[in-house]
Amino acid sequence: MTRLFNDPADFADEALAGFVAAHRRWVRPVTGGVVRAAGTPAGQVAVVIGGGSGHYPAFSGLVGAGLAHGAAVGNVFASPSAQQIRGVAKAAHGGAGVLLMYGNYAGDVLHFGQAADRLNAEGVPTATFAVTDDISSAPADQAAKRRGIAGDLPVFKAAAAAAEAGQPLAEVARIAAHANARTRSFGIAFSGCTLPGADEPLFTVPAGRMAVGLGIHGEPGIGEAVLPTADEAAELLVAGLLKELPDGVTAPAGNRAAVILNGLGSVKYEELFVVYRRVAELLQEAGVTVVEPEVGELVTSFDMAGVSLTLTWLDAQLEPLWTAPADTPALRKGAVAPAAAGTAAAAPESTPETEDDALPQGTAASRETAVTAAAALRAVAATVAEHAEELGRIDAVAGDGDHGIGMLRGATAADAAARDAAERGAGAGTVLHRAADAWADRAGGTSGALWGTILHAVGDALGDEERPTAATVAAGVTRAGEEVRRVGGARVGDKTMVDVLVPFADTLAAATGAGDRLAAAWDRAAGAAGEAAAATADLLPQMGRARPHAEKSLGTPDAGAHSLALIVRAVHGVLSDTTEEH
Amino acid sequence: MTRLFNDPADFADEALAGFVAAHRRWVRPVTGGVVRAAGTPAGQVAVVIGGGSGHYPAFSGLVGAGLAHGAAVGNVFASPSAQQIRGVAKAAHGGAGVLLMYGNYAGDVLHFGQAADRLNAEGVPTATFAVTDDISSAPADQAAKRRGIAGDLPVFKAAAAAAEAGQPLAEVARIAAHANARTRSFGIAFSGCTLPGADEPLFTVPAGRMAVGLGIHGEPGIGEAVLPTADEAAELLVAGLLKELPDGVTAPAGNRAAVILNGLGSVKYEELFVVYRRVAELLQEAGVTVVEPEVGELVTSFDMAGVSLTLTWLDAQLEPLWTAPADTPALRKGAVAPAAAGTAAAAPESTPETEDDALPQGTAASRETAVTAAAALRAVAATVAEHAEELGRIDAVAGDGDHGIGMLRGATAADAAARDAAERGAGAGTVLHRAADAWADRAGGTSGALWGTILHAVGDALGDEERPTAATVAAGVTRAGEEVRRVGGARVGDKTMVDVLVPFADTLAAATGAGDRLAAAWDRAAGAAGEAAAATADLLPQMGRARPHAEKSLGTPDAGAHSLALIVRAVHGVLSDTTEEH
């Protein structure tokens, strides 16, 4: 378990500060993460990687010559926010564009995608690439849905080495895709990690058993089996990877492969070596030539006990990229000359510019509404704080257990930003926009992106001029539902917050359309939301999303759906108190 | 816990094989461990380090340019044998002598000392140095009794960098002593490791508590306290080290130090960084300049949850040795040019010569005794096998829990060697000598060295000529008791095997002197041995040797004493069956 921490909410920030203090030769801190201490050589494409904290050396430990130019570092198991990613990308940009690289998780896809949109709009040519190496997370014909695990490393490295060799952005992105297409990983786990401040592990595996195919946050695997010997574990992993060869590799024999045997946290080096001994034998028997293997902790999950095997099937293009020199805190290969002063692009003296702080002022009518909006966000923060632990527990059944802490950070930041803006004379629209940005930036993760989207849509509807009618509010909520479906890609029935947001919006629109006052309509809509949230529990086990060993999975609702229902109920209290006159 | 293994008895060998398979660029295997793949540059002093397995990257992971020239690798938590150390040293020798370096533990001191004696006798100039950095293991005025923990690394590195710079053996040894005198470590632990095949951790710490000053095998610490926050842990560790400055450092302010924050196994990198953040602040506040810190897993103890802080107070001589380039599997610093072919001493084509296998033949009389001796060793192996698990359990109370596995490996090897020698016509003396060498070589650890000594002394007494009398056997046993005390340094009353061996020898001598036949005398002596072994239990808790949390410590005998009593009882069965006629 994780034992050494101060305030759990500060864990990721403090870990990053300590990492930087210990590695000043390689990295320097910027808003949102780190970049190479020597900067990006002028004219070189910058490869910016990132993801949640808790996976060290992914992602900050892989920044340095020959590998990443920067890393955006999110909270524990939560994607960095688009704003963080943008900050790191701008600091790393060497004038030749940026490739954003990350594992294929919903939150990362959302935030890196939003960051790329903003960077491109700001004139920084930016492409994105999500690694999908984990064969257990989706069948081969749906490879694009797969998660990224330890295969992150060889795919990042191929792209970064191509950038280092002077390739343009389009070619660096093409090489990332090529390396990813030839990279496969397969893992097993024996116990889950315990996050900072948590009393229990994120998941458990019965003694003497192993979970096959588990993800790096403990996402469900594809089965369970008896705890193997080290040799049996090696045989399982090698057989799994040799069964699914990539296009262009017709048989293992005669091929060359980069091999990574990765420890997830508390599987120790000696154990990895015992397993690797047999992995090397099996690959040799299959006729595969191993090229510069890596055996160690490369993509971890706190103290999770597990191990994964990654093969990157090399070709004439990929092999020199894999063996090219690299000099990072966690991975060094070959001989790397220290970066000569002057070859690097001028390192920005300060962190990237923050948003212009000139605050648009609202009309008197909108400022009155803004006070209600700020009160609503205060109520949201209070109810999230009250239920944070419960939300984490619920999320641990089918997610990675970070929903409570992410919501708490987001709601708290939104509350502060809303109050600040309201006190300084902003209208309701601006208050909600500021709250939206604060929530997304501070929370990270999928829920941070979606709550930023919701608050932004409602803020657009309210504006900074008029006193909104009940219909205006209902239209904003309907628009929020549309945006969340567009951005998140979920539909009604997928057992996500969309299952709650859509009936909430529909009921609110119907009631206000029928002439109800806002508070009464909201009350009815909140009731519909509560029923819809409870209904997300019904089919979870059948859908295979629940963890194999979670006793409480039957009847546990989706965490995002549940928190949305709690929040709309809390907001109703504010509406009843203050806006009966609307 | 350690989960991935095959036969636990093969764990250390298989881990070494896998380590070598993954790191052929740096190391190649030789009898007893590994040496640099590129060999030792001709004319350079070879620094050969070593110790038990289970501490990766100590010791094999620290072999490479700028650091060790070779590593002798023992069993799990057991010293390598003198024969293993000699094998590695001969393979690493570059013509300018060898410095053997290890942590200050009884088994290592014994085996490395014996290896040095043999190497010097064979014309390889050899010195030894034991690292003593752990301030919790003895007070400052008894610094020579202290254990070696993570301070191994800076002391090894200082000596190795001096060797790399062309210094002669005496100067390399002097620098080792100088670096050790300026190196201090202090650690805390939260849970013990579980060895391969064991069901329970070696020790436990109550939930919410920490053990202060625990060793890397779970040796007792100096106290227990409430589980600290990360900042409190940093404050405790820094304060402990700033309290005991080495000679020549009058105050922290204005000094420069190499800093190592070491994770023992399942404390993860993120946690180490959170602690290091505060360590760096505290050292800065104290006016200490940190030079090239290392934060990570450098000397581990399987999955033990613990952390230690090491400071090496640098001076003009030590700082360039600390910052000098190094290129090993686990530690890389600066830029290291690949070793050019031809600069290295010719790498031996084969592992070092094995013992001359010409077997001295015994007389008919001695060959008859040899059959009895071999039968006795068979009985010893059987009784050790029967009790191995119990011996491990007993040893876990006051030792490191490896007594059972070490005894089993030693006794099994001695049985095979004795039978082989007896079948090929050796006399009793040679049979016992071969068994002695096999036991010491295969078992390693303290018990391996002492059982080798016992069998050697008895073999000397029996010789290859005469049929021994009871008095001859008794004299051999008496001599064995003297040798064990000389080699091991323990006295009667220290609660070790000496407490059993001396009364056993005395009773045997008295009974045979009074005219008893051997079997009868042995029976009486074995009875005395059993009583003496039980008595070693009496004072353990009061002596402070028992682990703080071992519930079974009260009344648990010393493992080495207990196994000796079991063995002499088993041998009596053989004497009764076959030597009544003596």
Side-chain angles (χ1 to χ4, degrees):
Chain A
M1 63 184 296
T2 303
R3 292 181 182 85
L4 287 168
F5 52 85
N6 298 305
D7 183 339
D10 296 333
F11 186 85
D13 290 344
E14 293 186 347
L16 184 63
F19 164 75
V20 169
H23 298 98
R24 294 194 188 282
R25 183 165 90 70
W26 290 273
V27 298
R28 67 182 178 83
V30 295
T31 299
V34 294
V35 298
R36 291 188 194 174
T40 298
Q44 190 171 108
V45 170
V47 171
V48 171
I49 63 178
S53 290
H55 304 300
Y56 191 86
F59 296 87
S60 55
L62 301 176
V63 172
L67 236 159
H69 298 80
V73 180
N75 246 306
V76 171
F77 284 6
S79 167
S81 69
Q83 178 66 1
Q84 285 184 291
I85 297 159
R86 173 173 162 268
V88 175
K90 292 193 92 161
H93 188 217
V98 175
L99 179 61
L100 301 176
M101 302 187 73
Y102 43 94
N104 188 36
Y105 298 91
D108 294 293
V109 171
L110 274 173
H111 287 286
F112 280 91
Q114 290 180 356
D117 289 347
R118 292 191 64 177
L119 287 161
N120 278 309
E122 291 167 0
V124 177
T126 305
T128 62
F129 191 81
V131 178
T132 58
D133 57 306
D134 182 4
I135 65 169
S136 303
S137 50
D141 59 0
Q142 298 174 44
K145 290 189 179 173
R146 287 176 169 175
R147 301 179 288 237
I149 54 172
D152 282 354
L153 173 63
V155 180
F156 293 166
K157 187 169 190 306
E164 202 90 34
Q167 299 291 343
L169 179 57
E171 177 63 6
V172 173
R174 192 196 64 74
I175 282 171
H178 180 57
N180 185 60
R182 295 176 75 101
T183 298
R184 301 280 189 283
S185 299
F186 185 28
I188 54 179
F190 317 117
S191 82
C193 60
T194 305
L195 299 182
D199 293 327
E200 292 182 4
L202 212 48
F203 67 96
T204 58
V205 180
R209 308 280 292 172
M210 70 169 165
V212 179
L214 229 69
I216 56 174
H217 313 93
E219 301 93 338
I222 54 176
E224 193 188 291
V226 170
L227 188 67
T229 65
D231 282 1
E232 288 164 357
E235 285 149 18
L236 176 74
L237 296 175
V238 170
L241 293 181
L242 294 189
K243 261 199 316 234
E244 195 199 303
L245 301 174
D247 288 347
V249 178
T250 51
N255 278 287
R256 300 168 67 81
V259 176
I260 298 171
L261 188 68
N262 177 55
L264 270 296
S266 68
V267 168
K268 299 318 304 163
Y269 277 82
E270 282 90 347
E271 294 177 272
L272 292 176
F273 293 144
V274 171
V275 174
Y276 183 71
R277 173 189 136 275
R278 184 70 185 135
V279 167
E281 286 172 0
L282 291 165
L283 290 174
Q284 186 172 26
E285 286 166 16
V288 179
T289 301
V290 174
V291 178
E292 297 194 7
E294 292 288 338
V295 179
E297 297 186 348
L298 294 155
V299 178
T300 65
S301 181
F302 280 103
D303 59 333
M304 175 169 160
V307 57
S308 67
L309 181 67
T310 300
L311 296 185
T312 296
W313 297 89
L314 300 173
D315 59 15
Q317 185 169 55
L318 292 176
E319 181 158 340
L321 299 173
W322 171 243
T323 61
D327 180 11
T328 73
L331 184 81
R332 295 189 64 182
K333 288 170 79 84
V336 179
T343 63
E349 281 304 303
S350 61
T351 54
E353 74 277 14
T354 50
E355 296 303 317
D356 173 12
D357 207 32
L359 189 76
Q361 299 291 298
T363 63
S366 187
R367 287 169 69 162
E368 210 172 295
T369 308
V371 170
T372 304
L377 283 158
R378 166 130 302 188
V380 169
T383 205
V384 167
E386 189 186 339
H387 294 278
E389 202 185 317
E390 173 196 352
L391 294 173
R393 265 203 319 275
I394 291 174
D395 188 40
V397 176
D400 54 18
D402 69 347
H403 187 69
I405 197 170
M407 289 292 288
L408 183 58
R409 291 177 70 115
T412 305
D415 172 28
R419 190 179 43 191
D420 174 68
E423 284 173 358
R424 290 164 59 212
T430 296
V431 162
L432 287 173
H433 288 166
R434 290 295 165 103
D437 291 346
W439 191 315
D441 189 35
R442 195 69 186 140
T446 308
S447 69
L450 297 181
W451 274 98
T453 299
I454 291 171
L455 295 181
H456 228 283
V458 177
D460 284 346
L462 298 193
D464 289 339
E465 306 283 330
E466 312 289 330
R467 183 188 303 275
T469 64
T472 313
V473 175
V477 172
T478 298
R479 177 81 183 135
E482 291 162 1
E483 281 294 293
V484 163
R485 276 177 285 179
R486 186 183 67 79
V487 171
R491 287 175 298 194
V492 174
D494 287 355
K495 307 292 171 191
T496 70
M497 76 189 300
V498 167
D499 284 17
V500 175
L501 185 52
V502 168
F504 175 74
D506 290 351
T507 307
L508 188 65
T512 55
D516 278 9
R517 290 183 139 201
L518 180 60
W522 193 284
D523 187 28
R524 191 178 303 178
E531 287 170 27
T536 62
D538 290 354
L539 287 175
L540 269 179
Q542 289 92 318
M543 292 183 67
R545 288 183 66 211
R547 296 180 194 293
H549 312 298
E551 289 169 14
K552 48 193 173 177
S553 62
L554 199 68
T556 302
D558 176 75
H562 184 60
S563 59
L564 173 56
L566 289 172
I567 283 170
V568 296
R569 176 53 63 198
V571 168
H572 176 250
V574 175
L575 299 177
S576 314
D577 292 349
T578 65
T579 63
E580 206 56 45
E581 73 282 7
H582 279 202
Chain B
M1 64 183 295
T2 304
R3 294 182 181 83
L4 287 167
F5 51 85
N6 299 304
D7 183 339
D10 296 335
F11 186 84
D13 289 345
E14 292 186 346
L16 184 63
F19 164 75
V20 169
H23 298 99
R24 294 194 188 282
R25 182 164 89 72
W26 289 273
V27 298
R28 67 183 178 82
V30 295
T31 299
V34 294
V35 297
R36 290 187 194 174
T40 298
Q44 191 171 107
V45 170
V47 171
V48 171
I49 64 177
S53 289
H55 304 300
Y56 190 85
F59 295 89
S60 56
L62 301 176
V63 173
L67 237 159
H69 298 80
V73 181
N75 246 305
V76 171
F77 284 5
S79 168
S81 69
Q83 177 66 2
Q84 285 184 290
I85 297 160
R86 173 173 162 269
V88 175
K90 293 193 91 160
H93 189 217
V98 175
L99 178 62
L100 302 176
M101 302 187 73
Y102 43 93
N104 188 35
Y105 298 91
D108 294 293
V109 171
L110 274 173
H111 288 285
F112 280 90
Q114 289 181 356
D117 288 348
R118 291 191 65 177
L119 287 161
N120 277 309
E122 291 167 0
V124 178
T126 304
T128 62
F129 191 80
V131 179
T132 58
D133 57 307
D134 182 4
I135 64 169
S136 304
S137 51
D141 59 359
Q142 298 174 44
K145 290 188 179 172
R146 288 177 168 174
R147 301 180 288 236
I149 54 173
D152 281 354
L153 173 63
V155 179
F156 292 166
K157 185 167 191 305
E164 202 89 35
Q167 298 291 342
L169 179 57
E171 177 63 6
V172 172
R174 193 197 64 74
I175 282 170
H178 180 56
N180 185 60
R182 295 176 74 101
T183 298
R184 301 279 187 283
S185 299
F186 184 29
I188 54 180
F190 318 117
S191 81
C193 60
T194 305
L195 299 181
D199 293 327
E200 292 182 4
L202 212 47
F203 67 97
T204 58
V205 180
R209 308 280 291 172
M210 72 169 162
V212 178
L214 228 70
I216 56 174
H217 312 92
E219 301 92 339
I222 54 176
E224 194 188 289
V226 170
L227 189 67
T229 65
D231 283 359
E232 288 164 355
E235 285 150 19
L236 175 75
L237 296 175
V238 170
L241 293 181
L242 294 189
K243 262 200 312 234
E244 195 199 302
L245 301 174
D247 288 346
V249 177
T250 51
N255 278 287
R256 300 168 68 80
V259 176
I260 298 171
L261 188 69
N262 177 56
L264 270 296
S266 68
V267 168
K268 299 317 304 162
Y269 277 82
E270 282 90 349
E271 294 177 272
L272 293 176
F273 293 144
V274 171
V275 174
Y276 182 71
R277 173 189 136 277
R278 185 69 185 136
V279 167
E281 287 172 359
L282 292 165
L283 290 174
Q284 187 173 24
E285 287 166 15
V288 179
T289 301
V290 174
V291 178
E292 298 195 6
E294 292 287 339
V295 180
E297 297 186 349
L298 293 155
V299 178
T300 64
S301 180
F302 280 104
D303 60 334
M304 174 169 161
V307 57
S308 67
L309 181 67
T310 300
L311 296 185
T312 297
W313 297 89
L314 301 172
D315 59 14
Q317 185 169 53
L318 292 177
E319 181 158 340
L321 300 172
W322 171 243
T323 60
D327 180 12
T328 73
L331 184 81
R332 295 189 66 183
K333 287 170 81 83
V336 179
T343 63
E349 282 303 303
S350 62
T351 53
E353 74 277 14
T354 51
E355 297 302 317
D356 173 11
D357 209 31
L359 190 76
Q361 299 291 298
T363 63
S366 187
R367 287 170 70 162
E368 209 171 293
T369 307
V371 170
T372 304
L377 283 158
R378 166 130 302 187
V380 169
T383 204
V384 167
E386 189 186 335
H387 294 278
E389 202 184 318
E390 173 195 354
L391 293 174
R393 265 202 320 274
I394 292 175
D395 188 39
V397 177
D400 54 17
D402 70 347
H403 187 71
I405 198 169
M407 289 291 289
L408 183 59
R409 291 178 69 115
T412 305
D415 172 28
R419 190 177 46 194
D420 174 67
E423 283 173 358
R424 289 163 58 212
T430 295
V431 162
L432 286 173
H433 287 165
R434 290 294 166 103
D437 291 346
W439 192 314
D441 188 36
R442 194 69 186 142
T446 308
S447 69
L450 297 180
W451 274 96
T453 299
I454 290 171
L455 296 179
H456 228 282
V458 177
D460 283 346
L462 299 193
D464 289 341
E465 305 282 330
E466 312 290 330
R467 183 189 305 273
T469 64
T472 312
V473 174
V477 171
T478 297
R479 176 83 184 132
E482 291 161 3
E483 281 294 293
V484 163
R485 276 176 286 178
R486 186 182 68 78
V487 171
R491 287 174 298 192
V492 174
D494 288 355
K495 307 292 172 191
T496 71
M497 77 189 301
V498 168
D499 283 17
V500 175
L501 185 51
V502 169
F504 175 74
D506 289 351
T507 307
L508 189 65
T512 56
D516 279 9
R517 290 183 139 198
L518 179 60
W522 193 283
D523 186 28
R524 190 177 305 177
E531 285 170 28
T536 62
D538 290 351
L539 287 176
L540 268 179
Q542 290 92 317
M543 293 182 65
R545 287 185 64 213
R547 295 179 193 292
H549 311 297
E551 290 167 15
K552 48 192 172 175
S553 62
L554 199 68
T556 303
D558 176 76
H562 184 61
S563 59
L564 174 55
L566 289 171
I567 284 171
V568 295
R569 175 54 62 200
V571 169
H572 176 250
V574 175
L575 299 178
S576 315
D577 292 350
T578 65
T579 61
E580 207 55 47
E581 72 284 9
H582 277 204

